[in-house]
Amino acid sequence: ILKTLNSWFWWENIWMPINCTWADFVDRDGLVFPKPHQLYATIPYAFVLLIIRFFIERYVAIPLAKALGIKNVRRVKPQPNPVLESYFRECSKHPSQSDIKGLAKKCNCTVHLVEKWFRRRRNLEIPTVLQKFKEAFWRFSFYLTSSICGFIFLYDKPWFYDIWQTWVGYPFQTLLPSQYWYYMAEIGFYWSLIFTLGIDIKRKASACGDFTAHIVHHLAAIGLMSGSWCGNYVRLGTLVIFVHDTADFWLEAAKMFNYARWEKTCNMLFIIFSIAFFITRMILFPFWILRATLYQPTYYSTTPVIAYFFFNGMLLILQGLHLYWGYLIFKILKRFVFLK
């Protein structure tokens, strides 16, 4: 069954134009092509990024947070109590008064002590400002580095200025070393975000929709980049990565100054982020990137392959997320302008 599924998945008609086979993508005559098995390396790269994150958060983010006046608040842990811990995890974090009385009898203690235990236990679940700052600083560091490297990698490429150049010579476009590392770092980063979902700051229940949107975004991003790597849509892929990362580091910077209570700086950075977001996600992405993926391939092939529909479907999912987040940003800006 696995062999059959594997042969179906790698069927040439899914990934490449007619009359092309996988044998045509063997490195030759100075041409180097992306290979699907290279994507396995993104997993160890993700762990390398986690190690880098640990050192950056510990030796850069924490001293910077202290310099900005953010204190490390230490919360008092409640006394170990298996009965209350089990109820807290399996039943409710906010027990009713009758449940508190029942738990007090079961633990042979006063109602006041049970209420105090649950209050302290709930406080442990609330992330500290320092934790939030460290996570924001790590994402800021990665997105800023990725944006700078992306510009260095792309500024002298013809397809950075003429989107039609992304299809010239397709599918036999050689893979550049800069494109390899750009992809590996980006996919590894999103894997690392998924690996740390269990330890990163949890979203509030009221923001579960935003949490779900982030999960969908991470998986869609990994699927899209991995698929574009296999189909050698690398030129377009690097443009998609660059368009996304150039707005994100402004948001993380705004978060950091918000945690430090630098209100004016935070507001200014958020406005810059909003402008960058609407330019990159609402203008460049749909009218530049999507135009190149939906419309331009029809000039190079009269019979689009299945990958054409897969990639464009994933890109449209991302654009749907852009519209959702754009709506949230617009609401915040509206409150900021009219309600201060």
Side-chain angles (χ1 to χ4, degrees), residues 38 40-50 180-181 184-185 188-189:
Q38 291 172 318
Y40 290 123
T42 59
I43 302 298
Y45 288 150
F47 287 102
V48 171
L49 285 172
L50 289 176
Y180 172 85
W181 289 111
M184 294 297 111
F189 175 71

Side-chain angles (χ1 to χ4, degrees), residues 41-112:
T42 59
I43 302 298
Y45 288 150
F47 287 102
V48 171
L49 285 172
L50 289 176
I51 295 171
I52 295 172
R53 173 181 174 175
F54 171 78
F55 284 101
I56 285 180
E57 288 185 351
R58 183 162 186 175
Y59 297 106
V60 183
I62 291 178
L64 180 60
K66 291 180 179 178
L68 292 173
I70 298 174
K71 298 179 180 179
N72 186 17
V73 179
R74 294 187 178 182
R75 296 193 173 100
V76 180
K77 292 184 179 181
Q79 292 292 328
N81 191 310
V83 175
L84 299 182
E85 184 67 30
S86 176
Y87 187 92
F88 182 88
R89 290 181 176 276
E90 300 173 10
C91 299
S92 174
K93 298 178 181 180
H94 299 271
S96 63
Q97 199 62 33
S98 59
D99 290 334
I100 289 176
K101 290 179 181 178
L103 289 168
K105 289 182 180 179
K106 188 179 291 188
C107 297
N108 194 25
C109 60
T110 65
V111 170
H112 174 71

